[in-house]
Amino acid sequence: MPASHTFPAYTYECPLEFYWEVYNKRFPNHPLFPFIIDSEIVEQITEENGNEKRIRKTKLEVDAPGWFKTLFDIKHSVFIEESYHDKANRKITIKTTNETLSSKAKMIDITVYEVHPENPNWCQFTQTGTVELLVSVLGFQKKIEKYVLDLYKSRYDESRELDKKMIELYREEILKEQEAKKQQQEQTTTTTTTETAISTTTTSINIENANSSSSAVVSTQTATTLTTTINIENKDSNNTAAASSNTLVSSTEETESSRQEEIKV
């Protein structure tokens, strides 16, 4: 019989979808999870109904004492994680199995994330771990299984604390992004308002300049008209004076001619 253990339900005070985003941020590595050496998604399928299936391969440091590493001749371990996100029912199931030493031991971890029964904005988490040695180890098979399971159990509380820290970090990140976006929008609004004011002022100045130019043109045209009128009047005066002078000369000539004729007679 394999050694198995199921942990009591645990509650994350955040929505299921939010936690799923937080969970995936630890891959391929994160400062809070230094034991994750590398991770890659080897397959991802989105079904017609929107549900997602994902297979991930993750390389981890072996969290075990030296004698355990020597006994099984391992320096790191590789696990295969299969996740299924049922979006309609808001449920995520993850099954993790060992690729390393798969011919000697079978380790299965099943975690389920569901909507909390009392609060739809919370996420409820349950976890079950199973360990089974497939080969005999000098009669210590059961003891080794129990040891591995105890090691697995001892990391449970630490893992929950790391999750909570990740949730807080992600919340702070979102708040910073929202604040930065708000400031950018305010700056854009201020810039737009300033540009509009400048444009309006420039338009007003251009209109005033246009009006001034039009007035100047009109004034110039008026002055030209006035000058023309004066020139015409001057010309008329000159013509009149010339006519008067011609008339006077003609009269004088006629008088002189008449006087000479009288003298002759």
Side-chain angles (χ1 to χ4, degrees):
M1 285 290 293
S4 181
H5 181 79
T6 299
F7 295 94
Y10 186 89
T11 300
Y12 292 105
E13 295 184 1
C14 66
L16 174 74
E17 294 76 13
F18 182 87
Y19 177 81
W20 187 231
E21 290 184 26
V22 172
Y23 176 84
N24 285 288
K25 280 187 171 293
R26 71 190 66 191
F27 303 112
N29 44 61
H30 193 279
L32 287 178
F33 300 86
F35 49 84
I36 299 178
I37 301 173
D38 194 16
S39 182
E40 64 173 333
I41 297 174
V42 296
E43 184 179 353
Q44 182 165 326
I45 300 172
T46 301
E47 300 176 349
E48 293 183 359
N49 57 8
N51 294 346
E52 295 179 348
K53 179 181 180 181
R54 182 183 298 167
I55 299 177
R56 179 189 293 277
K57 179 182 287 190
T58 303
K59 184 178 181 180
L60 304 172
E61 291 184 355
V62 176
D63 186 14
W67 66 265
F68 186 90
K69 297 178 183 179
T70 302
L71 179 65
F72 290 100
D73 190 25
I74 56 173
K75 295 181 180 179
H76 61 263
S77 59
V78 176
F79 286 86
I80 304 298
E81 177 189 282
E82 299 177 39
S83 64
Y84 186 78
H85 186 184
D86 184 347
K87 295 186 177 180
N89 295 310
R90 300 185 67 193
K91 182 178 180 179
I92 300 171
T93 303
I94 301 176
K95 179 182 178 181
T96 305
T97 56
N98 62 302
E99 183 178 86
T100 303
L101 299 177
S102 57
S103 62
K104 297 179 181 180
K106 182 186 293 185
M107 290 175 279
I108 302 174
D109 177 79
I110 297 177
T111 56
V112 178
Y113 302 87
E114 299 177 280
V115 176
H116 195 280
E118 298 178 3
N119 190 329
N121 293 318
W122 288 356
C123 173
Q124 183 170 275
F125 164 80
T126 56
Q127 182 175 15
T128 299
T130 302
V131 180
E132 180 182 8
L133 286 183
L134 304 178
V135 295
S136 178
V137 186
L138 303 175
F140 293 99
Q141 181 176 346
K142 295 299 178 183
K143 290 184 178 180
I144 292 176
E145 287 178 353
K146 184 178 182 303
Y147 172 79
V148 173
L149 189 63
D150 287 343
L151 187 63
Y152 171 80
K153 289 160 61 177
S154 69
R155 297 292 183 265
Y156 179 82
D157 291 338
E158 181 182 353
S159 296
R160 303 292 73 74
E161 288 301 316
L162 288 175
D163 280 347
K164 288 166 66 175
K165 288 181 180 180
M166 279 290 291
I167 290 171
E168 291 305 314
L169 283 175
Y170 191 47
R171 280 175 174 162
E172 291 176 2
E173 182 180 327
I174 291 176
L175 289 174
K176 288 180 180 179
E177 289 177 355
Q178 290 176 344
E179 183 62 27
K181 187 176 181 180
K182 181 180 178 182
Q183 291 179 356
Q184 185 177 6
Q185 290 175 342
E186 290 176 350
Q187 185 176 1
T188 302
T189 302
T190 302
T191 302
T192 303
T193 303
T194 303
E195 290 176 349
T196 301
I198 292 173
S199 178
T200 303
T201 303
T202 303
T203 302
S204 299
I205 292 173
N206 290 336
I207 291 173
E208 290 176 359
N209 289 338
N211 291 335
S212 298
S213 299
S214 298
S215 300
V217 170
V218 172
S219 298
T220 302
Q221 292 175 346
T222 302
T224 302
T225 302
L226 181 59
T227 302
T228 302
T229 302
I230 293 171
N231 290 336
I232 292 172
E233 290 177 353
N234 290 337
K235 185 176 182 181
D236 289 341
S237 298
N238 292 334
N239 290 337
T240 302
S244 300
S245 176
N246 291 334
T247 302
L248 179 60
V249 170
S250 178
S251 299
T252 303
E253 288 177 350
E254 289 176 357
T255 303
E256 183 65 28
S257 178
S258 298
R259 184 181 300 173
Q260 289 177 359
E261 287 178 0
E262 288 176 358
I263 295 170
K264 287 178 179 181
V265 177

